[in-house]
Amino acid sequence: MSEENKHRATAAAILPLVGGAANVTSVAHCMTRLRLGLRDRSLVQEEALKALPAVMGVVEDDTYQIVLGPGTVNRVTPEFEDLVEEGRADAPAEPAAPAAPAAPAGGSDPVTAEELAAQGAALRAERKARNATPFKLFLRRIANIFVPLIPALIGCGIIAGLNGLLVNLGWLPGVTPALAAIASGFMALIAVFVGYNTAKEFGGTPILGGAVASIIVYAKVADVEAFGQHLSPGQGGVLGALAAACLGVYVEKRCRRWVPESVDVLVTPTVTVLVSGLATLFGLMFLAGEVSTWIGDAADWLLAHGGAGAGFLLGGLFLPLVMLGLHQALIPIHTTLIEGSGFTVLLPILAMAGAGQVGAALAIYLRLPCNTSIRTTIKSALWPGFLGVGEPLIYGVSLPLGRPFVTACAGGAFGGAFVGLFNQLGTDVGSTAIGPSGWALFPLLDGNHGLARTIAVYAAGLLVGYVAGFVATYWFGFTRTMLEELNAAPDEPAPAAPAPVAAKERVAEKV
C-alpha cells in the first residue's frame, strides 16, 4: 500500500469510530494530534479507536484529540477532511450508537489495560471540567495563537543548527549566508504572524492584526522616540505584537458597532490601524520590550542561581502543570526567549518529564510480568515515548495507576536537576524551537559552548531521567496490594479483595 493510501485508510478507519461525518463539526491538528470538534461524544467508540495501529492514544479536552504522532498527523488530517466533506455531501444516515461495553469482570480478575484506559478517560473528563476556568480558557486561546507557528519554528531552527555546524566547520562558505537568511527570515517577521493569529483567535480581521503587528518590525521605527529613547525595530517582539493585535481587535469591534455600514469599509480599517498603531509606537513597544528583557533576565538568573533546584522543580512539576492546563502559559515565554537569544533554556529541562515517564513505564513492565494487557500497551507506547510523544504512556498507563505517575514525575525532576546544574555551571542547553521533546529534540539543540557539549549534556539528562524514573517506580511505585491486584495471572484468581469501588476511588487509594 502506498503512503497516500495508507494515510487515507487510517482516516477512513477513524471516521466511523468518531460517529461519522455528521458528528464532526471541526477538524484541526497540532504537532502530534488530530483535534476534532464533535457534536455528540457518546457516539465515539473509544476502545475500537485506540485499537487502530496508527492511534497512539486519545485525549479529551475542549476538542477530542487523537494522538497519531509527528509527521503522520500532517498526512492523515487532509485525508480525514476530504472524507468528512465527502460524507456530508452524501448525506449519510444517522450514525449508529456504539455497542455497549461488556460488563466489568469480577473482582478476582486482574486489572487490564482496558480498565486502566477507562480510569484514564474518567481522569481526563475530571481534568477537563476542572480546567474550564476563565483563566485557563484564556491560556488556551493564547496557546492557539502560537501552536500554528511551531512547524515554521522547527524547520527554521533545524536549518539554523545546520548552518551553525557548517560555519563552525568552515564548510560551504558560499551556501551558509543563504542558509542564515532562510533560517532567520521567519523569526524576523514572527511578530506579523502572531498579530495575524491573535486577531483571528479573538474575533477580529486577521489581516488587520498582522498590519498592526508589522509596525513592530518596520525598520523606520528607529526614527520614533518614546519615553525619552528611540525605538528599535523588533522591540517588544511577540509580546508587543500580541498586545497590539488585541488592542486592534478591541478598536475594530467598537468601530463595527458605531460606524455606519455605508462607510464601514473605509472608516473601520483606517481607525483600527491608526489608533492601534499609535498606541503600539508610543506605549506598547516600549512596555513589551521591558517585559521581554525581564523574562530573558529572569530565566538566566533562575538557572544561574537556582540551577539544580530550579531544574528539579521545573522537570518534576511540568506534567502536573499539563494536567492543570497551566503549561500553555509557557509558550509565549519560550517564543520570547528564542526571539531574544536564539534558543529557550527552559524546554530541554521540561523535556526531562517525558524521560521520567519512559523510565517509569519500563519499571511497570518489569514489575507486572503476568499482566499481558498492560505490558502490551507499554510496548506499543514506549517508542513514541522515547520520541517525546508521552500521551499514550501518561493516559494509558501511569496516570490511571496513580503512584507510578508520581514516581515518573520524580524521574523528570532528577533529569531536570541534572540539566539545570550544568546551566548553573555555565553550560547553557537550549532549543531553537518549541514542540518536540525526547530524542526528537536533538536536531534543535543549541547552546553557548558548542553543539557537542550541548548534545552530551542533554543526552545525559535524558539518561538520568530514565534511570531515576525507573528506580523510583520500581521500588516506590506500587504497594503490595497494588501488585497483587495488577499482577494476577489471567487464569488464576486473585486474592480476596474488598467490595469493588468506583474507578476514581481505586485510583485514589493507589496514590
Side-chain angles (χ1 to χ4, degrees), residues 7-27 34 36-40 43-46 48-49 52 55 64 66 68 76-90 92-93 95-96:
H7 298 310
R8 190 168 184 85
T10 298
I14 290 173
L15 183 57
L17 300 180
V18 295
N23 197 38
V24 178
T25 59
S26 65
V27 182
L34 174 64
L36 304 179
L38 301 177
R39 287 191 175 88
D40 184 357
L43 298 178
V44 176
Q45 302 179 50
E46 190 162 294
L49 187 62
L52 295 178
V55 175
Y64 192 82
I66 302 171
L68 299 174
V76 171
T77 300
E79 300 290 348
F80 188 87
E81 290 175 323
D82 290 343
L83 291 174
V84 169
E85 290 301 318
E86 292 173 9
R88 289 171 179 168
D90 295 340

Side-chain angles (χ1 to χ4, degrees), residues 246-260:
C246 285
L247 177 60
V249 170
Y250 175 80
V251 173
E252 180 187 359
K253 288 183 176 180
R254 298 287 291 186
C255 288
R256 301 287 185 202
R257 184 183 302 176
W258 299 108
V259 173

Side-chain angles (χ1 to χ4, degrees), residues 360-383:
L362 292 170
I364 295 169
Y365 187 87
L366 293 181
R367 290 289 269 168
L368 303 179
C370 297
N371 197 316
T372 56
S373 181
I374 294 177
R375 285 163 65 95
T376 299
T377 299
I378 292 173
K379 283 192 292 186
S380 64
L382 196 57
W383 286 111

Side-chain angles (χ1 to χ4, degrees), residues 13-19 38 40-53 55-61 63-67 96-101 113-125 395-396 400:
I14 290 173
L15 183 57
L17 300 180
V18 295
L38 301 177
D40 184 357
R41 295 198 183 187
S42 67
L43 298 178
V44 176
Q45 302 179 50
E46 190 162 294
E47 294 307 315
L49 187 62
K50 290 190 289 190
L52 295 178
V55 175
M56 299 177 180
V58 297
V59 178
E60 290 192 54
D61 209 322
T63 55
Y64 192 82
Q65 302 170 15
I66 302 171
V67 184
E114 288 75 17
E115 290 177 351
L116 286 182
Q119 294 177 20
L123 289 169
R124 285 196 299 271
Y395 291 111

Side-chain angles (χ1 to χ4, degrees), residues 339-364:
E339 193 177 33
S341 60
F343 54 82
T344 169
V345 292
L346 298 180
L347 186 59
I349 292 176
L350 300 176
M352 296 299 117
Q357 288 291 329
V358 170
L362 292 170
I364 295 169

